[in-house]
Amino acid sequence: MGWAEVIGEKTSEKIPYTKFETGSTMIRVLDNEPYSYWSHWLNKQQTSIACLKKDCPICGVIAQMKANKETPIYTSSQRHAVRIWNYTTNQMEIMIQGKNFFSQLLTLHKEIGDITTYDIKVVRKGQGTDTTYTLLPSAPKEFDTNDKTIVDVDMEKQFAPPTREEMLLLMEGLTWAEINGNEETVEQ
């Protein structure tokens, strides 16, 4: 929060999410711990949304379909997010990945030390569900923030689930733009 918010000016710039291209990307992890949450994939909208947890209609559909021995039309996965500096895009981003990626980060953290003290080369191979990542640490060095814009992010707010009503509309096939009545999209 800053002075602009005190006087009512809107200051929230959208922080980009990391999209690793095939090949290598050098990053610096900025957070000591990941923010973890459950999400659901919406195939029609090609996006994921945070789970409501208690009384989640998507979890209800998944449970019912599994009870009926049907293949669920939705999926659930635990996701993890941290702020990173992406040297390729030269900006701070929010990196969201799954257990396999973050297990590699945790191994680096345990074996080499604090992952915020060195750069990591992320090597992406493959496409879609056949994508693999290899994380290669660099020698520890000071991270120079002089020419970089680094901001705090309230991850709970960033990854807050939609309301139950919004989730039901998304399940009916509406997009965020249709729900909000504008062109803005929300990615989680």
Side-chain angles (χ1 to χ4, degrees):
M1 180 146 105
W3 288 113
E5 291 176 343
V6 171
I7 60 174
E9 292 179 3
K10 189 175 180 181
T11 60
S12 60
E13 289 187 32
K14 218 172 177 175
I15 298 170
Y17 293 106
T18 304
K19 174 150 180 43
F20 291 114
E21 301 295 332
T22 300
S24 1
T25 305
M26 190 66 78
I27 67 168
R28 172 66 68 110
V29 175
L30 303 174
D31 296 323
N32 291 317
E33 297 252 338
Y35 175 77
S36 300
Y37 65 100
W38 283 92
S39 70
H40 298 295
W41 179 253
L42 302 176
N43 210 26
K44 181 175 182 190
Q45 293 92 336
Q46 291 293 295
T47 191
S48 66
I49 56 172
C51 178
L52 281 172
K53 297 177 188 162
K54 184 180 179 187
D55 199 31
C56 176
I58 292 179
C59 286
V61 169
I62 292 170
Q64 185 62 48
M65 292 185 82
K66 284 182 177 181
N68 293 338
K69 298 189 187 313
E70 299 173 310
T71 302
I73 57 173
Y74 301 108
T75 59
S76 299
S77 63
Q78 190 171 34
R79 307 299 283 166
H80 311 283
V82 290
R83 294 174 309 142
I84 65 161
W85 184 262
N86 185 329
Y87 289 100
T88 302
T89 61
N90 202 33
Q91 65 184 357
M92 187 190 92
E93 300 172 349
I94 296 175
M95 179 182 72
I96 305 166
Q97 291 289 331
K99 182 180 178 182
N100 290 340
F101 189 100
F102 271 85
S103 291
Q104 289 186 67
L105 269 183
L106 179 59
T107 299
L108 292 178
H109 186 70
K110 286 180 177 178
E111 298 297 322
I112 297 173
D114 182 354
I115 57 174
T116 65
T117 63
Y118 50 89
D119 296 334
I120 300 169
K121 182 187 288 188
V122 177
V123 180
R124 176 189 169 159
K125 292 182 180 177
Q127 297 292 323
T129 57
D130 292 327
T131 301
T132 60
Y133 295 98
T134 303
L135 306 184
L136 305 168
S138 297
K141 69 176 182 181
E142 194 69 31
F143 182 60
D144 181 13
T145 59
N146 287 336
D147 60 340
K148 298 171 179 65
T149 303
I150 309 290
V151 296
D152 288 332
V153 175
D154 181 344
M155 293 292 199
E156 284 194 29
K157 185 177 178 183
Q158 184 77 25
F159 297 104
T163 64
R164 182 173 170 76
E165 292 74 28
E166 289 170 331
M167 189 171 278
L168 291 169
L169 291 171
L170 289 164
M171 290 171 73
E172 290 175 11
L174 272 66
T175 64
W176 278 114
E178 292 166 329
I179 292 169
N180 295 327
N182 60 33
E183 296 301 313
E184 186 176 328
T185 60
V186 176
E187 278 188 42
Q188 295 183 357

